[in-house]
Amino acid sequence: MHMVQMGKEYDVLKENSRIAHSNYRRLKEHGVRCIEVMGSIGSGKTAFIIKVGEILRAKGLRVCAIAGDVTGEDDYRRMTDSGLDSVNCNTGRECHLDAEMVRRVLDGMDLEKYDVIFIENVGNLVCPADFPLGADYRVVIISTTEGDDMVRKHHDIFIHSDVAILNKTDIAEAVDVDPEIIERDYAKLTGGLKKMHRCSVKRSWGMEEILRALDL
Ligand code: MG
Ligand code: ZN
């Protein structure tokens, strides 16, 4: 979370939440399902969106992705190259997207053209937690390469997300990480009510279970 004056911080978050609600209503009016994807740099957010985008398109759904990054078009290009409609959204300096940035992107889109829209947040496990964007589901994706302590270090993002995914389980042993430790931490944090979903986006492991968790 950024350091802001106490009163001001409250106003910023309140205003963000107001705009997020209006984004949500607007997406609903057009019958669009929206999924936000949060996670560190390199956790596999873009690859996950591309993979799920392919599966959904094969089912006949119309899919688009908003690629949030501080600068550059790398993710936007990867998505577009995979055949996924996408829109680039550079934050300039901010280390997270906010609801107003998403509102402006939605302004430039024809929402009637899509059934599902993904929003890839900036690679960051801290402040995206505080800025809901108006999605139906907030997904957090971590990978085994980040170590086994991510849940213990980043409570907020796991508490503020609906679905948690552990990616790159195919190389867990090579990076000396035990997925069970991460799953245990997550179960403890969520009072045993939620379970972390294991997958390897690269090998297409665990995708069906995740799609079910996202009602897709
Ligand atoms: Mg990415
Ligand atoms: Zn930030």
Side-chain angles (χ1 to χ4, degrees):
M1 185 61 210
H2 304 169
M3 294 299 289
V4 242
Q5 265 178 298
M6 272 312 274
K8 272 206 169 143
E9 177 183 314
Y10 177 71
D11 287 345
V12 167
L13 297 181
K14 205 168 82 171
E15 179 63 0
N16 184 79
S17 153
R18 190 188 64 76
I19 301 169
H21 277 103
S22 107
N23 288 345
Y24 176 82
R25 283 194 301 273
R26 183 166 169 190
L27 289 159
K28 289 299 109 184
E29 279 163 17
H30 293 274
V32 175
R33 187 91 59 85
C34 182
I35 293 158
E36 179 193 354
V37 181
M38 305 178 285
S40 308
I41 293 168
S43 62
K45 299 181 295 300
T46 311
F48 173 78
I49 292 170
I50 288 173
K51 174 74 74 179
V52 177
E54 278 166 3
I55 297 171
L56 297 182
R57 274 168 17 243
K59 291 183 179 178
L61 292 168
R62 302 165 304 160
V63 188
C64 184
I66 298 169
D69 261 310
V70 177
T71 57
E73 318 196 306
D74 293 77
D75 288 357
Y76 162 74
R77 288 200 180 285
R78 278 171 69 193
M79 289 168 175
T80 307
D81 289 348
S82 79
L84 178 64
D85 278 7
S86 57
V87 182
N88 200 26
C89 180
N90 285 143
T91 61
R93 288 178 63 190
E94 288 296 328
C95 44
H96 59 273
L97 293 175
D98 64 36
E100 172 61 20
M101 294 177 203
V102 170
R103 186 190 67 75
R104 288 198 298 260
V105 173
L106 297 179
D107 276 347
M109 291 175 69
D110 179 3
L111 298 177
E112 285 300 318
K113 274 175 66 184
Y114 299 108
D115 303 305
V116 181
I117 293 178
F118 288 94
I119 304 174
E120 178 176 347
N121 213 317
V122 178
N124 180 347
L125 276 182
V126 185
C127 28
D130 292 324
F131 293 87
L133 306 175
D136 293 274
Y137 286 96
R138 306 193 81 189
V139 175
V140 60
I141 177 161
I142 57 171
S143 91
T144 55
T145 55
E146 296 169 68
D148 66 13
D149 52 6
M150 297 313 279
V151 175
R152 298 197 297 280
K153 283 184 177 172
H154 296 282
H155 283 180
D156 269 13
I157 201 124
F158 290 96
I159 289 167
H160 284 95
S161 55
D162 305 296
V163 173
I165 297 171
L166 175 62
N167 188 22
K168 306 187 191 178
T169 52
D170 54 325
I171 56 167
E173 223 179 288
V175 294
D176 206 14
V177 159
D178 180 357
E180 278 181 24
I181 294 173
I182 301 170
E183 288 165 349
R184 210 179 304 143
D185 288 343
Y186 183 70
K188 194 171 155 200
L189 183 72
T190 57
L193 294 172
K194 286 162 77 177
K195 117 182 221 293
M196 183 164 291
H197 302 278
R198 282 189 198 195
C199 80
S200 163
V201 170
K202 192 174 174 182
R203 300 192 186 280
S204 299
W205 294 352
M207 301 309 291
E208 280 306 316
E209 184 186 302
I210 293 168
L211 291 176
R212 276 197 298 278
L214 292 171
D215 267 328
L216 288 170

